[in-house]
Every structure is written in C-alpha cells, then in structure tokens.
Amino acid sequence: MVCYLGVGAIQMTIENKYPSYFNSFSVDNDMENSIPFVGWFTIPYAMAWVYWYLMPFFIYFYCGKKEFYKYVLLVIVMDILGFIFFIVIPIKNRMSWPNEDELSAYPSFIRDLWNFLSNSKGMQYTMCPSQHIYFTLVPFIFIRKNGFKKIATYFSLFAIVMITLSVLFLKVHYIIDVLVAIALTEIVAWFIEKYPYLSEKLNKGITYVNRKLHLETK
C-alpha cells in the first residue's frame, strides 16, 4: 500500500504542476464510450483494498519468505514501470461519469460510495498500466505458481475478473490500461522468477535490517 499511495501522490503532484502536458494525451474512442456506467461495481472496486492488504500476509505465511520477497519485488518493479509509463505516455481519462439522474437509479449506499470514491484524488487520474489490475494480478501469479488448492486459484481469479470489470464499468480506466497491466505484470514476473538475484538481495537486505532492529532472530 505504501507503493500504491506513494506513486499515486507523486503522480498527482506532477500532473497538477504540468497540466498542459498531461492533458494532451487521450485514447478516447467510441467503444470505450459505449461501455455503460454500472454503479454496483463500486463494491468490488472498494473491496480491492481489503484484498490487497490481506494477500501479502497470505503469501508470506503460506509461501514463505523467499516467495514473499519476490512478491514485494514484483510490486515495486511494477510501480516503477507504471510511473515511467505515466511520464512517457500520460493517458488522460476523458470518459464521462454519471450525473445525479443516472445515480438516482441506485440505492443510497451505492450513491454514497460512488461519491466518496469519485471525490478522492486517486480516481480523478488514470495511469497505464492500471495499478488496480496489477496489484490484483500479482497474488494470482504466486497462487498459480505455488500450486494452491483450486479454491484459492478460483478466488484470486474471481478477484481479477471483478476488479477488471469494476475499473471498466466505473469508467476509471481504459481497456488499454488493463491490457498493458496484465501483459507487463506477467513479463516482469517471468523475469523475476528466471533471474532471482534481485529478490535474493532484497531478502538479505531486509533480513539484515530486521536483525539490527531486533525484529527478527537468526
């Protein structure tokens, strides 16, 4: 979450400082605009935060420290790449959000949740690749790789599907943001698995600091 919030804060600061540059890129098209707004997807969109908080603990306790540090490294690398993409190709979200009449069709708790989310700075900016997608895909990659029971695989796959639909039907991200996130995460995960040097160095570095702080014994 530190990565997510940190990158988001830097992103918003830069976009506010150079608005003309970040307003010049758009991938608006008729297909994207034809996707309807579906307010019910505010629920999985908001619940994504719970999933992101819980999965690192799951990976640590059920996959071990070695896999956990690969997980951490994958998230860090994806955030760095996402930030680079944001600077080089800053896709501006120009999709129209619902008005009060359209929102009136939903129960009050959905309207309140949408208003809370849409008023937050994070939803007023878009990033390719989508952080929502790669933060959700990373746990699935490790669950798939470590051969967990089908229920864990199906649950993590269900989370990916629901959060993917939520960013599209809430008009938070474009399809290209989703596709780039999926492709880039799979590629980076392959490299980390193929060349474990960096994750091993990260493991040793954090273990050394923990021991110095007496947070971990030998």
Side-chain angles (χ1 to χ4, degrees), residues 165-202:
L165 292 176
S166 73
V167 300
L168 295 176
F169 282 102
L170 293 179
K171 297 181 175 291
V172 179
H173 278 288
Y174 292 101
I175 294 174
I176 187 66
D177 302 340
V178 173
L179 295 178
V180 171
I182 294 172
L184 199 58
T185 306
E186 290 285 359
I187 291 170
V188 173
W190 181 85
F191 269 99
I192 289 175
E193 192 63 30
K194 185 76 173 178
Y195 306 101
Y197 173 77
L198 286 177
S199 62
E200 291 172 358
K201 294 295 287 185
L202 180 66

Side-chain angles (χ1 to χ4, degrees), residues 129-140:
S130 165
Q131 284 180 296
H132 267 75
I133 300 304
Y134 66 72
F135 265 96
T136 310
L137 180 59
V138 168
F140 170 74

Side-chain angles (χ1 to χ4, degrees), residues 36-100:
F37 174 86
V38 181
W40 294 106
F41 280 105
T42 54
I43 297 173
Y45 186 89
M47 289 298 293
W49 285 84
V50 178
Y51 184 76
W52 299 340
Y53 274 115
L54 293 178
M55 291 314 294
F57 294 100
F58 179 85
I59 298 298
Y60 182 86
F61 288 110
Y62 289 94
C63 299
K65 282 178 60 178
K66 185 176 180 180
E67 289 296 290
F68 173 74
Y69 286 119
K70 288 181 182 179
Y71 179 103
V72 172
L73 181 62
L74 179 54
V75 170
I76 293 173
V77 172
M78 285 303 302
D79 269 337
I80 292 172
L81 292 176
F83 183 73
I84 293 171
F85 269 72
F86 167 71
I87 296 297
V88 177
I89 314 173
I91 297 175
K92 183 68 175 179
N93 187 349
R94 301 184 188 278
M95 291 181 284
S96 59
W97 284 355
N99 54 40
E100 289 299 323

